[in-house]
Amino acid sequence: MTLDVQARTEERGAPPVSGGRRILAPDLARGAMLLLIALANATGVFLASTPGVDTTPHGPERVWNVLLFLFVHARALPLFALMFGYGLVQFARHQDEAGRPPGKVRALLLRRNAWLFAFGLAHGVLLYSGDVLGAYGLIGIAFTVLLLRRGDRVHRLAPGYLILAALYVLGLAALVLHGLATGSGGVGVPTSDFPSVTEPSYAESFTARVGEWPATVLSMLPMILFIWIGAWAARRRLLDEPAKHRRLLRRGATVGLTVAVLGGLPMGLLAGGFLHVDADTAGYAKMLYETAGFFGGIGYGCLFGLLALRVSSWSATSRRQLPVTALAALGRRSLSGYLVQSVAWLVLASPYALALGDRLGSPTFVAAGSALLVWLGTLVGAYLMHRRARRGPAEALLRRLAYGRQR
């Protein structure tokens, strides 16, 4: 495929990947994931709440709120975590194939993740306290030390978490259904305030983010379980060899997205004003949509594995290759794309900057439109860098810092 040849050119100087080929499915998933992250984070910033949602929606906003909880909120971060775990194993494998000794590979991974934590610290206090990089840097260090080089017997434990999560989803669903059958009330959708995005000056927002970011990091540390699932999938090469695992990917996409949609439905209907429940049931609905979101991440990941399989049969000259190439290019530059988004939210939404949510009408749809435009901008930028065989600026900096004089 043309995309593979271009990817090899683009990765000049990098440790060689297996067979000299860049794996398409993870890059597609990361590129699309950034759209979900943009939609989730933009609504949080423009509406100053987590999850980002207008608690008094009107007209089409009500339907949009439902869609956010079915397909976006608490679905993007699990996919991010799964892809991070997948990438850890891919990176270690590529280094092994390049002939680096295990000790040096371990040291390199520890440095990369330590610098990722540093990126997260800067990102979290300077731009956006909902940062995930700091938590993933810490988790990456812990995973490298405790689990990465363990044998198959240990890693086969990871899918057992899916069984526990499924049982938890069923229990929460039973509690929600019981609440709907026996209770009533007018409690709104449960949200938390997001103070740093409402501060009137950058200095005050900076001070607020300094307090918010550590709490965000701590709240995300349990994501190590999701990352472990992604690492297990990478060890089995589920996305590297989608043709070999077609049946499992189809099952994962179908079951994962079905659970995510059904599990998010009560929270979505509550957020849209179509459902009225008591406080306890609202709390259970929130926990249900969050837990079901993990299965949504799996479903999205499997879906992009199947898409990569379909794309592999297209002609290299087909016009359909252009959006696929652009999406994969953004996936390879996902760190840069993620950071660009936070700069955009600061400029577009902050009270001391453009404050478009206050000036252009419905903050819900201003957030959605801004998310789409910013993501499209990063898509175009990534494609242009791809054509020039250039890495993303954040990826290049992380590589330079992590490799040091070993390059």
Side-chain angles (χ1 to χ4, degrees):
M1 227 175 118
T2 300
L3 188 61
D4 292 319
V5 177
Q6 292 172 331
R8 290 199 300 272
T9 301
E10 180 181 52
E11 296 296 324
R12 289 196 299 261
V17 297
S18 179
R21 298 174 67 86
R22 177 87 187 194
I23 305 304
L24 179 59
D27 289 334
L28 290 177
R30 292 182 185 106
M33 168 194 74
L34 286 174
L35 175 58
L36 300 178
I37 288 175
L39 289 168
N41 289 349
T43 54
V45 170
F46 277 92
L47 294 162
S49 66
T50 53
V53 61
D54 188 343
T55 56
T56 57
H58 301 283
E61 294 174 347
R62 301 176 68 193
V63 176
W64 181 244
N65 277 2
V66 176
L67 295 176
L68 284 174
F69 283 100
L70 295 186
F71 300 107
V72 177
H73 286 320
R75 278 84 183 127
L77 282 182
L79 178 58
F80 200 137
L82 291 167
M83 289 299 99
F84 183 77
Y86 204 99
L88 283 176
V89 172
Q90 276 190 313
F91 183 86
R93 181 185 295 141
H94 299 163
Q95 294 297 318
D96 291 340
E97 292 169 354
R100 291 185 184 273
K104 288 190 176 181
V105 175
R106 175 188 171 102
L108 181 56
L109 275 167
L110 292 175
R111 278 198 303 276
R112 279 180 64 92
N113 284 294
W115 278 113
L116 188 64
F117 174 79
F119 275 44
L121 172 60
H123 175 234
V125 300
L126 295 177
L127 296 173
Y128 176 66
S129 63
D131 160 77
V132 301
L133 302 179
Y136 287 178
L138 289 179
I139 294 171
I141 291 171
F143 192 88
T144 299
V145 172
L146 300 175
L147 291 170
L148 184 63
R149 294 294 187 179
R150 303 296 292 272
D152 286 343
R153 181 178 298 180
V154 171
H155 286 282
R156 277 197 290 265
L157 297 174
Y161 176 69
L162 296 178
I163 299 174
L164 296 177
L167 293 174
Y168 189 54
V169 165
L170 290 174
L172 289 172
L175 290 172
V176 171
L177 291 174
H178 180 266
L180 292 175
T182 62
S184 62
V187 174
V189 59
T191 62
S192 302
D193 293 334
F194 199 169
S196 63
V197 302
T198 61
E199 298 292 351
S201 70
Y202 179 80
E204 290 171 292
S205 69
F206 173 85
T207 301
R209 284 191 294 273
V210 168
E212 291 173 351
W213 180 75
T216 299
V217 171
L218 291 175
S219 71
M220 290 187 179
L221 293 182
M223 286 275 184
I224 191 171
L225 295 169
F226 300 175
I227 289 171
W228 195 10
I229 294 289
W232 169 81
R235 289 173 66 90
R236 295 195 62 184
R237 298 180 181 266
L238 295 188
L239 299 182
D240 298 51
E241 302 170 347
K244 182 178 178 181
H245 302 286
R246 189 196 309 260
R247 182 176 298 179
L248 181 59
L249 291 174
R250 284 177 175 169
R251 189 179 304 160
T254 301
V255 174
L257 293 174
T258 299
V259 171
V261 168
L262 294 179
L265 188 58
M267 187 71 166
L269 293 175
L270 181 60
F274 299 104
L275 190 66
H276 304 283
V277 298
D278 56 44
D280 287 341
T281 304
Y284 293 137
K286 182 178 181 182
M287 289 189 288
L288 175 60
Y289 107 87
E290 290 172 341
T291 308
F294 174 54
F295 291 90
I298 292 175
Y300 278 130
C302 292
L303 186 65
F304 282 98
L306 294 171
L307 177 61
L309 184 60
R310 178 69 179 272
V311 167
S312 65
S313 66
W314 293 353
S315 167
T317 59
S318 171
R319 292 183 178 180
R320 294 178 294 181
Q321 286 285 6
L322 178 60
V324 172
T325 301
L327 193 61
L330 179 58
R332 289 184 210 111
R333 298 162 181 82
S334 56
L335 178 58
S336 296
Y338 175 67
L339 295 175
V340 166
Q341 289 184 14
S342 296
V343 175
W345 314 146
L346 195 72
V347 172
L348 298 177
S350 298
Y352 48 86
L354 296 180
L356 295 185
D358 297 328
R359 297 181 181 182
L360 298 182
S362 167
T364 297
F365 290 124
V366 172
S370 298
L372 180 59
L373 291 175
V374 169
W375 179 77
L376 287 173
T378 59
L379 190 69
V380 172
Y383 178 72
L384 293 176
M385 283 186 280
H386 167 79
R387 291 292 300 271
R388 291 165 175 78
R390 297 180 61 182
R391 294 187 181 90
E395 286 77 10
L397 178 58
L398 180 60
R399 176 181 170 81
R400 190 177 304 119
L401 292 169
Y403 276 84
R405 296 182 179 179
Q406 292 189 29
R407 293 190 56 184

